[in-house]
Amino acid sequence: MKSFLKYREIWLLAGIVVLIGLISTRFPGFADPANLRQVFNDTSILMILALGQMVVILTRSIDLSMASNLCFTGMVVAMLNAAHPAIPVPVLIVIALLVGLVLGAINGLLVWRLNIPSIVVTLGTLTIYRGATFVVSGGAWVNADQMSPAFINFQRAAFLGLPVLSWIAILVIALFFLVMTRTAIGRSIYAIGVNPTASVYAGIDVGRTKFIVFCISGMIGGLAGYLWISRYVIASVEVANGYELNIIAACVIGGISIAGGIGSVGGAVLGALFLGIISNALPVINISPFWQMAISGSAIILAVVLNARGERRQGRIILRKAEAA
């Protein structure tokens, strides 16, 4: 039982259940399956983005440009759809993935080849990609009446009782779980976060692996670009402004260690779901949405404290074993 409770995901899941229970005392319908499905769907984009950020953080890096990537890519596909509505939606999604990949690769190359700290690189590209969105669009918006019905309705179509957006999130979650637990690149990502120097001696190319994770986060940002624009049916320079903080918050709350090497797909998903429940619950229980910032910030501080205590506890155990030997 003790080993079972060591897992951060179990405690976070329990916290989410308690949170839903508390909200249900003020709004009984919140715990209805139909409403919970809607909450999951509303949080799907954040879940997808948190997974892209997770692989970067696990390598002791960070990508502050994901929201700007989302904005630029979303604008590109929205303008393409407005100009050429006959382009099939799957083709637009592939274009979004490729554009996001290019933006992520730029980050990865700067971190890999020039050895610039990722926080500096992505802080710069955060502004560059946002500015590029203005240049491409000329400052104009793409509104719902300029988008094709197929572009808007693709993710809203239902399959087995769930919108396509939810199924896309489930597919991305499953894909990341397989990559992180069943592939060499997943093991390399964890190894780099635990000990980059030892990883080199183990034959892992640290620079190339970091380049790959930035490419992954870039593609995720690109995918989220289409999903965001088609969901909220507006493309502008202000789309997802500041949303990178929500993405990082979801990872930290989910137990992804900023120091690298610690975290899981389940943790990132639950962290995003925790924030999603808060953002959905506050309006229905008549609490100002501005409290979401305070609640999210408190959750982040608590998560960091718990992470730090857990890592120190592991270190003391190692030292005791060494002394005993």
Side-chain angles (χ1 to χ4, degrees), residues 14 35 64 79 86 104 107 144 157 180 195 215 224 236 294 319:
N35 187 67
L64 298 176
M79 291 177 66
N107 289 336
M180 298 306 295
N195 193 323
C215 288
S236 74
L319 287 173

Side-chain angles (χ1 to χ4, degrees), residues 227-248:
L227 296 175
W228 184 292
I229 299 303
S230 61
R231 179 167 179 76
Y232 299 108
V233 291
I234 189 168
S236 74
V237 179
E238 297 301 317
V239 161
N241 192 20
Y243 202 68
E244 54 276 347
L245 300 180
N246 296 60
I247 301 168
I248 296 170

Side-chain angles (χ1 to χ4, degrees), residues 27-186:
F27 181 68
F30 192 83
D32 290 346
N35 187 67
L36 292 179
R37 286 196 297 269
Q38 184 60 47
V39 171
F40 181 89
N41 192 63
D42 291 343
T43 315
S44 292
I45 297 176
L46 179 57
M47 290 179 186
I48 293 170
L49 289 165
L51 290 172
Q53 185 71 249
M54 176 196 71
V55 295
V56 177
I57 293 177
L58 285 174
T59 62
R60 300 188 179 189
S61 301
I62 198 164
D63 186 355
L64 298 176
S65 68
M66 286 193 79
S68 297
N69 181 332
L70 181 162
C71 179
F72 179 82
T73 306
M75 178 62 77
V76 168
V77 294
M79 291 177 66
L80 276 174
N81 177 250
H84 307 283
I87 298 177
V89 172
V91 174
L92 290 175
I93 293 176
V94 171
I95 292 172
L97 288 168
L98 292 176
V99 173
L101 173 61
V102 171
L103 299 184
I106 292 171
N107 289 336
L109 283 172
L110 292 172
V111 172
W112 177 22
R113 292 301 187 184
L114 300 184
N115 201 30
I116 304 174
S118 60
I119 190 171
V120 176
V121 169
T122 58
L123 188 60
T125 54
L126 176 156
T127 307
I128 292 170
Y129 297 161
R130 188 75 60 172
T133 306
F134 182 87
V135 172
V136 167
S137 65
W141 292 18
V142 180
N143 298 309
D145 57 353
Q146 298 171 267
M147 302 176 189
S148 69
F151 182 89
I152 295 172
N153 295 326
F154 175 77
Q155 63 164 293
R156 289 175 170 78
F159 177 70
L160 297 178
L162 285 176
V164 169
L165 174 58
S166 293
W167 285 112
I168 292 174
I170 291 170
L171 179 62
V172 172
I173 292 168
L175 182 60
F176 268 82
F177 178 80
L178 289 174
V179 169
M180 298 306 295
T181 61
R182 297 290 186 271
T183 66
I185 184 64

